[in-house]
């Protein structure tokens, strides 16, 4: 796959659409742009494996990715303008899923060391991104709690207990 000729303004336009960078001004977006690298992967190529060190955040520009649990079961399909790997980068934990290209993909790759250097040089960027990640995690936690409560109502007690045990095993 030949990467398209993306100029700085187009890449910054992509970064502006990413929720974790919401609220950054143009100068701050440019600082993020400067640490981005274009990465291409082919269909069926592995982007990252569960258990790998979390050293990069990826922004999917085009194509589709598939995230799978360690046991091979499907977790989610990732569409363009979505991120991969930010939770591991910010938590310091290893990758929780294997991510494979469902098609030829074009991504922006951001090295975690460079990202944290930008945060140190411009703490407002770090604070803004941290707030955005916190909002995302809070929303995800509330959504998951609602799903768990719904399962409790609609599943027989034994099935509910099995689901909780499996989720607990998957996520430790």
């Amino acid at each position: 796959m030949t990467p398209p000729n993306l100029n700085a303004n187009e890449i910054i336009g992509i970064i502006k659409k990413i929720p974790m960078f919401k609220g950054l001004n143009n100068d701050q977006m440019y600082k993020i742009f400067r640490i981005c690298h274009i990465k291409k992967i082919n269909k069926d190529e592995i982007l990252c494996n569960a258990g790998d060190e979390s050293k990069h955040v990826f922004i999917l520009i085009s194509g589709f990715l598939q995230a799978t649990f360690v046991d091979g079961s499907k977790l989610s399909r990732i569409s363009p303008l979505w991120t991969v790997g930010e939770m591991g980068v910010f938590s310091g934990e290893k990758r929780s899923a294997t991510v494979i290209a469902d098609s030829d993909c074009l991504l922006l790759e951001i090295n975690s060391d460079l990202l944290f250097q930008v945060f140190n040089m411009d703490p407002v960027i770090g604070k803004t991104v941290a707030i955005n990640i916190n909002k995302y995690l809070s929303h995800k936690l509330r959504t998951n709690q609602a799903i768990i409560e719904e399962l409790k109502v609609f599943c027989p007690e034994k099935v509910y207990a099995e689901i909780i045990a499996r989720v607990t095993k998957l996520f430790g």
Side-chain angles (χ1 to χ4, degrees):
M1 169 170 70
T2 304
N5 295 324
L6 296 173
N7 65 40
N9 288 332
E10 291 171 317
I11 293 173
I12 290 170
I14 291 165
I15 295 168
K16 284 181 178 180
K17 294 177 183 177
I18 305 305
M20 117 176 152
F21 298 120
K22 181 181 178 182
L24 298 181
N25 65 36
N26 287 338
D27 289 339
Q28 294 165 330
M29 290 287 180
Y30 184 75
K31 290 175 184 176
I32 300 298
F33 157 75
R34 289 184 55 219
I35 61 169
C36 290
H37 298 287
I38 293 180
K39 179 179 182 74
K40 61 179 183 170
I41 61 172
N42 298 315
K43 181 177 174 28
D44 298 324
E45 191 174 335
I46 295 173
L47 178 65
C48 56
N49 285 296
D52 286 352
E53 294 294 322
S54 298
K55 293 306 241 170
H56 297 92
V57 173
F58 301 97
I59 299 170
L60 183 60
I61 297 172
S62 65
F64 292 93
L65 299 167
Q66 179 67 53
T68 60
F69 287 114
V70 175
D71 69 1
S73 60
K74 291 184 178 185
L75 172 62
S76 65
R77 187 162 197 239
I78 301 160
S79 301
L81 299 180
W82 205 252
T83 56
V84 173
E86 73 281 5
M87 293 301 120
V89 164
F90 290 106
S91 70
E93 295 179 0
K94 293 185 178 187
R95 301 280 186 207
S96 61
T98 296
V99 179
I100 303 167
D102 258 0
S103 62
D104 291 347
C105 295
L106 189 66
L107 305 106
L108 291 178
E109 178 182 61
I110 303 172
N111 177 283
S112 61
D113 293 334
L114 296 176
L115 184 61
F116 288 118
Q117 283 178 14
V118 168
F119 293 170
N120 286 332
M121 291 186 309
D122 188 338
V124 173
I125 295 175
K127 179 182 174 184
T128 302
V129 170
I131 289 169
N132 290 337
I133 293 287
N134 187 44
K135 286 178 184 177
Y136 169 75
L137 289 175
S138 295
H139 172 74
K140 192 171 185 178
L141 188 59
R142 282 191 302 276
T143 300
N144 288 342
Q145 185 62 38
I147 291 168
I148 290 168
E149 291 301 319
E150 194 168 323
L151 282 172
K152 197 180 220 181
V153 170
F154 291 107
C155 287
E157 190 173 326
K158 184 177 181 181
V159 173
Y160 175 77
E162 290 171 4
I163 291 169
I164 296 302
R166 182 164 186 230
V167 169
T168 301
K169 183 179 177 184
L170 285 171
F171 292 106

